Amino acid sequence: MRPVAIAGVGESASGVVPDRTALQLHADAAAAALDDAGLSLADVDGLFTCGEGIDLLHIVRVAEYLGIRPTTFDSTLSGGSAWETFVEHAALSIAAGHCEVALIVYGSTQRSDMGRSLGTSTRGRAKGPRQFEVPYGSTTVSEYAFAAQRYMHETGATREQLAEVAVATRRHAADNPRAFYRDPITVDDVLGSRPISSPLHLLDCCVITDGGGAIVLTSLERARTLRKPPVTVLGSGSAIGAMTASQAGDITDIPARISGERAYRQAGLTAADVDTAQLYDSFTITVLLQLEALGLCPPGEAGAWVADGALDLGGALPTNTDGGGLSANHPGMRGVFLLVEAVRQLRGEADRQVANAEVALCSGTGGYLSVCSTVILGVDR
Amino acid sequence: MSEKTTGAKPDPKAGRHLPLPDVDTEPFWAAAAEQRLICRYDEDNERYYHYPRERAPGTLSDRTSWREVSGRGVVYSYTVVHQAASRAFRDRVPYVLALIDLDEGARMMATVDAPTDAVAIGTRVRVAWRIEEDVTLPVFVVDADADAS
């Protein structure tokens, strides 16, 4: 099995982009990533993408729109973690010689399509398992709120400590010119923002934006001949938990524990080796639960650890250094942006650079802490 | 569709939050209409589970049955929802939504009809019934007897 690397990353315009379609954002991001790698579209023989609302056969339409006829493809719809799972699947395909150049791409105009609704709208009659959720007024935020309330109960973490995640992430966003929100916020701002589903308030929740992102993978051998320094895929893992909190068992023990164990094992690394983390931050609680599940903080102490400045530049583990979903962008699903920022950190070209970063961990979560995927990336040496 | 309408135009989305029973779930809603709470029971592993599935999750055994449960339980976690899920809930906010561990072992999500400061993790609750249109929904209330004991 040959080693695999990320050769290119790219983003489309993000924020509010009412004059672009979602497919254009796919194309913009793909073009940027291919240009970054010094590859052309004709080199691509593998396509990895998923999405909702563009067309019935999303990946086929995206391939058609881009004008490629890939022979390796995967459209696993596992929410925000899909892009980390795509790295896993693309790396396996490339390592086995089944695929040469894989394009992982996403684009969405969620912001312009629906405006800011925090995903709490509900349509249609409640069918299937949802008939035991929808009649009670369950929302996306309330699913995470169950986990937050339980985590606070079990560990003594406080709302102030949750708020520190949003505050630290906003500090990072200040240096990212593409971030949706860049003005500093305080813990009091978070606590005083409108309650959505207790204990989560508005500023505990990610933004909703438009945007697209893409990455290009190939063999490490080939990547070494290309435009940018390769970033190697050291390990990956994915794990499904349960769709809804009532079926999850211990709701604070999220599937990232299992996906992380698999990724660390493959990489031959431990949490102590990680220089920077890009953790899916749909909500502030999502970050604390991933820190715990991935063993990145002292067990049960994620709240105090974060309040102590761990996530900041110069802290114990600079995290979500582009401003994350809480401040920078969140176009429906943002797993691809975790990878884009991690690659930039390992190349030394980030807006808010972590000094001497050699190992980066990306942790995607999908659904309601339902499914997780972990990718560990490293500099080529 | 043949209903005559008078006065205000009916809300085309009314009732859309209510359940659509299927072959897995119809007995649950039929029992609820009689204000009885039933759960699926896995005979092989001697455990209750919810939501209802004909085959037992984790084994796919078909040695399962319906059993009536006490309707008493304890709050595993909860949230006070301030931003409503949909139009149907707009006039209900803030409302308490909880994960309830029934004494028999199954976990359910349901509303707790209680003041927002009356519910915490560990609060004892018991089933109550809310009738909406033609559906009887199991909801929960704080179990005052349990709290007193």
Side-chain angles (χ1 to χ4, degrees):
Chain A
M1 301 283 270
R2 51 183 182 163
V4 175
I6 298 176
V9 300
E11 290 176 76
S12 73
S14 63
V16 184
V17 194
D19 55 340
R20 309 286 293 159
T21 70
L23 282 168
Q24 283 176 323
L25 298 183
H26 281 80
D28 292 345
L34 288 164
D35 182 60
D36 189 52
L39 287 166
S40 75
L41 187 63
D43 294 310
V44 174
D45 63 345
L47 179 64
F48 298 76
T49 183
C50 69
E52 291 176 293
I54 285 179
D55 212 328
L56 190 60
L57 306 184
H58 175 90
I59 193 168
V60 182
R61 186 67 85 183
V62 169
E64 175 193 275
Y65 187 89
L66 297 178
I68 55 175
R69 299 196 167 189
T71 49
T72 297
F73 44 89
D74 177 7
S75 195
T76 303
L77 181 55
S78 52
S81 65
W83 283 265
E84 284 66 38
T85 293
F86 290 152
V87 169
E88 183 173 27
H89 294 179
L92 286 167
S93 295
I94 293 165
H98 192 68
C99 170
E100 285 303 315
V101 174
L103 171 67
I104 299 176
V105 61
Y106 180 63
S108 163
T109 48
Q110 188 186 44
R111 174 87 189 193
S112 294
D113 292 347
M114 59 187 278
R116 188 172 180 76
S117 78
L118 289 162
T120 49
S121 68
T122 303
R123 293 189 205 93
R125 267 202 173 272
K127 292 178 186 170
R130 285 171 53 76
Q131 72 190 274
F132 296 97
E133 301 157 17
V134 175
Y136 298 111
S138 169
T139 73
T140 297
V141 190
S142 62
E143 291 272 349
Y144 285 85
F146 287 141
Q149 195 73 53
R150 186 74 199 179
Y151 181 75
M152 291 165 66
H153 174 78
E154 288 177 355
T155 65
T158 63
R159 273 200 62 216
E160 287 79 0
Q161 291 172 346
L162 284 175
E164 292 279 6
V165 176
V167 171
T169 309
R170 183 63 63 87
R171 271 196 291 273
H172 291 314
D175 284 352
N176 177 358
R178 300 170 308 284
F180 198 62
Y181 291 122
R182 299 177 66 190
D183 293 338
I185 53 172
T186 65
V187 167
D188 283 343
D189 290 335
V190 181
L191 300 184
S193 64
R194 181 163 62 86
I196 304 296
S197 189
S198 72
L200 301 176
H201 285 229
L202 183 67
L203 293 180
D204 287 295
C205 305
C206 66
V207 300
I208 292 180
T209 66
D210 303 327
I215 69 171
V216 176
L217 292 94
T218 190
S219 66
L220 176 60
E221 186 184 5
R222 183 163 179 185
R224 283 176 173 153
T225 70
L226 298 175
R227 187 169 286 163
K228 290 284 181 73
V231 167
T232 54
V233 179
L234 299 176
S236 59
S238 299
I240 285 179
M243 190 67 213
T244 186
S246 70
Q247 306 299 309
D250 179 350
I251 59 175
T252 63
D253 182 18
I254 64 173
R257 183 174 55 77
I258 295 165
S259 65
E261 282 168 2
R262 292 172 68 88
Y264 287 134
R265 194 183 315 136
Q266 189 186 0
L269 297 173
T270 70
D273 297 310
V274 177
D275 298 317
T276 176
Q278 309 301 328
L279 309 178
Y280 204 109
D281 56 344
S282 44
F283 300 91
T284 50
I285 184 61
T286 318
V287 174
L288 297 190
L289 294 177
Q290 287 169 98
L291 290 169
E292 297 277 3
L294 295 162
L296 294 167
C297 65
E301 294 176 24
W305 195 68
V306 165
D308 204 33
L311 308 186
D312 282 316
L313 216 56
L317 184 68
T319 295
N320 295 342
T321 43
D322 66 341
L326 289 168
S327 287
N329 66 36
H330 193 288
M333 300 183 272
R334 87 174 296 272
V336 72
F337 298 98
L338 310 176
L339 298 157
V340 170
E341 174 65 9
V343 166
R344 287 176 175 158
Q345 286 290 349
L346 294 176
R347 287 175 177 173
E349 59 183 34
D351 292 309
R352 198 164 162 87
Q353 183 62 46
V354 176
N356 305 314
E358 295 190 348
V359 174
L361 182 147
C362 299
S363 170
T365 69
Y368 314 129
L369 302 161
S370 307
V371 47
C372 295
S373 183
T374 312
V375 171
I376 300 173
L377 302 174
V379 295
D380 179 26
R381 41 178 170 192
Chain B
M1 285 294 131
S2 61
E3 275 178 47
K4 288 188 183 109
T5 55
T6 53
K9 214 169 146 184
D11 179 353
K13 291 189 174 173
R16 281 199 187 176
H17 65 291
L18 292 173
L20 186 66
D22 57 40
V23 289
D24 264 339
T25 68
E26 197 281 331
F28 178 91
W29 296 112
E34 299 168 357
Q35 305 201 350
R36 292 186 302 116
L37 187 65
I38 63 172
C39 269
R40 211 67 188 160
Y41 184 74
D42 174 348
E43 308 277 357
D44 292 335
N45 294 297
E46 299 180 336
R47 67 181 189 103
Y48 292 84
Y49 61 92
H50 181 79
Y51 52 93
R53 280 151 275 186
E54 189 176 74
R55 291 179 182 272
T59 64
L60 300 185
S61 167
D62 59 4
R63 285 178 30 83
T64 60
S65 56
W66 291 103
R67 290 199 183 180
E68 189 160 347
V69 293
S70 65
R72 292 176 189 273
V74 62
V75 172
Y76 171 75
S77 194
Y78 73 99
T79 179
V80 180
V81 179
H82 293 267
Q83 179 158 309
S86 64
R87 204 187 307 187
F89 296 90
R90 203 169 42 191
D91 298 330
R92 304 185 193 182
V93 289
Y95 54 90
V96 180
L97 198 60
L99 299 175
I100 293 145
D101 285 342
L102 297 175
D103 288 349
E104 290 82 1
R107 183 173 293 166
M108 291 183 69
M109 178 167 63
T111 314
V112 180
D113 281 341
T116 55
D117 60 357
V119 177
I121 289 172
T123 299
R124 295 284 310 171
V125 292
R126 62 180 166 79
V127 74
W129 302 95
R130 180 201 290 162
I131 297 170
E132 291 190 47
E133 302 185 16
D134 57 342
V135 177
T136 303
L137 275 177
V139 298
F140 286 79
V141 294
V142 173
D143 191 347
D145 296 346
D147 278 1
S149 62

